[in-house]
Amino acid sequence: KMWSPSFVPKPRDWPSHVQVVGACLPETQPAEDESTPENRALLAWLAAGPPPIFVGFGSMVLDGDAATATILAAAAKAGVRVLMQSGYSRLGGGAEALPERAYVIGPCAHSWLLPKVAAVVHHGGAGTTAAGLVLGLPTMVVPFFGDQHLWGSQVARAGVGPPPVPIEALTVARLAEGLKRLKS
């Protein structure tokens, strides 16, 4: 199994031939071309203030406009900058004009992007959880289904982020509280 045994110990009843070996990360990380207009603009925004909190739900689908409104209101309430990755839900896509504290990006290698942020909020997929934790980033999981709930619980148990908030329970107040805990 590919997770850290210090994060989720191997159950005692598993046979000896089953090993828990750690996150499976590629030896060579994909690089982003920092000279593209999109990446130059992102790097300028990043340089203009404190490191933001990354918010992205990857391939999870939800009402992007409502989620964007929740994220923007929570970021304002928590006093943080947020870097939203549009994903399948098109976060930020319906916002007419984003406040200075927010920025939206499309697809991007986490190995290039996450070292530039202060913390992460995501759906709790095993890969995204590992990508943030390997970098030591405080993490808030907003699980949708399946093992995402497990990873969110383990993040909180390990003390590297607040308790998970399932997507159906996500409110401005709950997200703002999580963002405040991530920035402290």
Side-chain angles (χ1 to χ4, degrees):
K1 301 301 174 185
M2 293 192 229
W3 62 75
S4 169
S6 62
F7 192 54
V8 179
K10 176 182 170 181
R12 293 179 193 188
D13 62 341
W14 283 13
S16 63
H17 70 276
V18 176
Q19 300 297 314
V20 178
V21 297
C24 182
L25 301 172
E27 285 185 37
T28 57
Q29 302 295 322
E32 289 288 325
D33 181 355
E34 294 188 1
S35 68
T36 66
E38 296 84 9
N39 285 342
R40 282 197 317 266
L42 168 61
L43 292 170
W45 181 80
L46 289 168
I53 295 175
F54 170 87
V55 181
F57 301 116
S59 61
M60 301 298 102
V61 178
L62 66 155
D63 180 339
D65 293 343
T68 298
T70 298
I71 294 164
L72 294 176
K77 192 171 184 173
V80 300
R81 295 183 350 137
V82 289
L83 176 58
M84 296 181 285
Q85 190 167 33
S86 60
Y88 281 20
S89 297
R90 299 182 32 85
L91 294 179
E96 289 185 24
L98 293 172
E100 288 182 22
R101 76 172 59 255
Y103 198 91
V104 177
I105 60 166
C108 185
H110 284 158
S111 59
W112 177 80
L113 181 65
L114 295 185
K116 298 167 177 41
V117 303
V120 292
V121 175
H122 58 82
H123 59 292
T128 309
T129 302
L133 294 179
V134 161
L135 295 169
L137 294 173
T139 299
M140 178 178 177
V141 174
V142 180
F144 286 64
F145 62 87
D147 67 334
Q148 298 168 356
H149 294 277
L150 166 72
W151 300 122
S153 295
Q154 292 304 106
V155 162
R157 183 194 63 75
V160 294
V165 177
I167 189 62
E168 63 273 7
L170 190 67
T171 62
V172 170
R174 286 184 169 160
L175 181 56
E177 181 58 33
L179 294 173
K180 288 176 189 175
R181 288 184 65 182
L182 291 175
K183 81 173 190 177
S184 61

